[in-house]
């Protein structure tokens, strides 16, 4: 499956026109487009792909109760695990990231970030790494 709609190509081209800094805010046009693409939608996890060395494992969630996350226009987020907090989009080392500061239902703090691999109106691919293991999360939305 190819999850790279025209919005992804536009977003990617905007992201690569950046400076050498190791951390900077994304340009207003990039931020506006990115926030418009993810905001006020429920993103459902369709499948996850985990790679460690040359081994890749894919787990499908299509047709099952699954993880979902809402990114709202007011920059708050809530997911199916009950984590609620705020999010921002940042350009770190020329990569767009979603950074989340949240609390669990028990009140414990949780901070995490995802690299945005691709972002379109109805498809989104996020990734994160833990040690030598890289996981890509494939999301879709109905809106």
């Amino acid at each position: 499956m190819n999850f790279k709609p025209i919005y992804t190509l536009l977003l990617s081209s905007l992201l690569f026109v950046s400076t050498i800094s190791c951390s900077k805010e994304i340009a207003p046009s990039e931020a506006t487009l990115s926030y418009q693409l993810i905001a006020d939608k429920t993103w459902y996890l369709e499948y996850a792909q985990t790679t460690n060395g040359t081994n890749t494992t894919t787990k499908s969630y299509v047709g099952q109760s699954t993880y979902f996350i809402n990114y709202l226009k007011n920059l708050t987020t809530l997911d199916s695990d009950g984590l609620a907090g705020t999010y921002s989009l940042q350009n770190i080392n020329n990569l767009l990231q979603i950074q989340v500061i949240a609390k669990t239902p028990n009140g414990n703090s949780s901070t995490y970030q995802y690299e945005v691999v691709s972002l379109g109106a109805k498809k989104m691919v996020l990734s994160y790494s833990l040690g030598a293991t890289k996981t890509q999360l494939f999301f879709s939305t109905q809106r």
Side-chain angles (χ1 to χ4, degrees), residues 40-57:
D40 285 345
K41 298 176 184 173
T42 301
W43 293 96
Y44 296 96
L45 181 62
E46 289 186 338
Y47 62 96
Q49 190 172 59
T50 303
T51 303
N52 190 335
T54 58
N55 298 325
T56 299
T57 305

Side-chain angles (χ1 to χ4, degrees), residues 3-143:
F3 291 104
K4 294 197 179 231
I6 191 71
Y7 296 157
T8 302
L9 297 175
L10 175 61
L11 184 60
S12 295
S13 64
L14 289 171
L15 291 175
F16 290 113
V17 182
S18 58
T19 62
I20 305 174
S21 88
C22 78
S23 176
K24 70 177 186 85
E25 293 294 319
I26 56 180
S29 61
E30 294 173 64
T32 300
L33 177 60
S34 300
Y35 283 113
Q36 286 175 349
L37 289 173
I38 70 169
D40 285 345
K41 298 176 184 173
T42 301
W43 293 96
Y44 296 96
L45 181 62
E46 289 186 338
Y47 62 96
Q49 190 172 59
T50 303
T51 303
N52 190 335
T54 58
N55 298 325
T56 299
T57 305
T58 301
K59 183 170 182 182
S60 175
Y61 298 95
V62 175
Q64 303 175 36
S65 296
T66 186
Y67 176 81
F68 68 83
I69 190 164
N70 292 306
Y71 295 106
L72 304 175
K73 283 185 182 177
N74 66 1
L75 303 180
T76 62
T77 183
L78 177 66
D79 70 15
S80 57
D81 293 335
L83 272 74
T86 60
Y87 74 96
S88 64
L89 295 169
Q90 301 278 326
N91 184 331
I92 308 292
N93 295 326
N94 295 325
L95 299 172
L96 183 64
Q97 291 184 357
I98 299 174
Q99 297 182 342
V100 177
I101 300 170
K103 292 208 179 271
T104 66
N106 294 334
N108 296 322
S109 294
S110 177
T111 303
Y112 60 93
Q113 61 200 26
Y114 294 117
E115 177 186 324
V116 178
V117 177
S118 69
L119 178 60
K122 294 187 179 221
K123 300 285 184 183
M124 175 171 63
V125 180
L126 305 177
S127 74
Y128 66 92
S129 296
L130 291 173
T133 302
K134 182 175 183 174
T135 301
Q136 288 193 333
L137 305 170
F138 295 79
F139 292 88
S140 68
T141 186
Q142 302 300 314
R143 293 175 73 198

